Amino acid sequence: MMHNPMAYMANQAYRGTATTVPPLKAVSMLLGGTIISLQRSLAAQEARRFEEGHEHLMKATAILRGLSHNLDFARGGDVAERLFQTYHAMILASHRAFGRPHARQNFGRIIAGLTELREAWEFVDTTVRSSKPGPVDSARKG
């Protein structure tokens, strides 16, 4: 049994996504969720609702932590190692920026980096899908 509700919710999100969405699409969706959570955290901080902001921050970092823990270092090699470092750098930067005077600028840089990473995953997904031959449509034969 998990004692942390955010960890439980993140785990449920991974399970649901893993069974219904292709893996590359799932990564870009999870990064999108991270971006949204960070935007909500920033909005809550600026409205001086720090507890709500912290909840959104924890959701965002739980997603990043989950992504980092699901990397396959045997198959991914240097790319997996670099992604691991990137995810953890984003987690640390998010926690350092929370509630600080320049949170808007710092969160803006973090969100920009995550947006770029999400777009890279979307490009890979599109490239992989377009390079795979589609199923043969038997109705068009003959």
Side-chain angles (χ1 to χ4, degrees):
M1 180 174 162
M2 292 191 180
H3 297 288
N4 182 341
M6 285 298 172
Y8 177 77
M9 288 176 14
N11 190 22
Q12 291 301 101
Y14 290 117
R15 286 183 183 191
T17 302
T19 59
T20 60
V21 178
L24 293 173
K25 180 72 173 166
V27 172
S28 60
M29 288 174 65
L30 288 166
L31 288 170
T34 303
I35 292 165
I36 290 168
S37 291
L38 288 175
Q39 290 168 335
R40 289 177 179 165
S41 177
L42 180 60
Q45 289 175 65
E46 290 177 338
R48 307 198 59 75
R49 296 187 316 266
F50 292 105
E51 188 172 324
E52 178 186 338
H54 188 262
E55 288 175 15
H56 289 297
L57 174 68
M58 295 310 293
K59 181 178 180 182
T61 57
I63 294 170
L64 291 173
R65 193 174 311 106
L67 286 169
S68 72
H69 290 299
N70 285 289
L71 292 168
D72 185 346
F73 291 96
R75 290 178 57 199
D78 290 341
V79 173
E81 181 61 38
R82 184 70 182 136
L83 280 170
F84 182 83
Q85 292 170 358
T86 300
Y87 292 145
H88 280 275
M90 295 291 189
I91 291 168
L92 291 174
S94 297
H95 282 285
R96 285 186 190 132
F98 183 79
R100 305 289 180 178
H102 301 290
R104 172 163 282 290
Q105 294 84 355
N106 293 333
F107 270 71
R109 283 191 294 273
I110 295 163
I111 290 168
L114 289 170
T115 301
E116 187 177 329
L117 187 58
R118 182 190 66 200
E119 289 170 356
W121 279 109
E122 289 171 349
F123 176 78
V124 171
D125 182 36
T126 302
T127 303
V128 167
R129 278 198 230 175
S130 66
S131 67
K132 287 184 180 178
V136 177
D137 187 0
S138 59
R140 293 188 178 191
K141 287 186 178 178

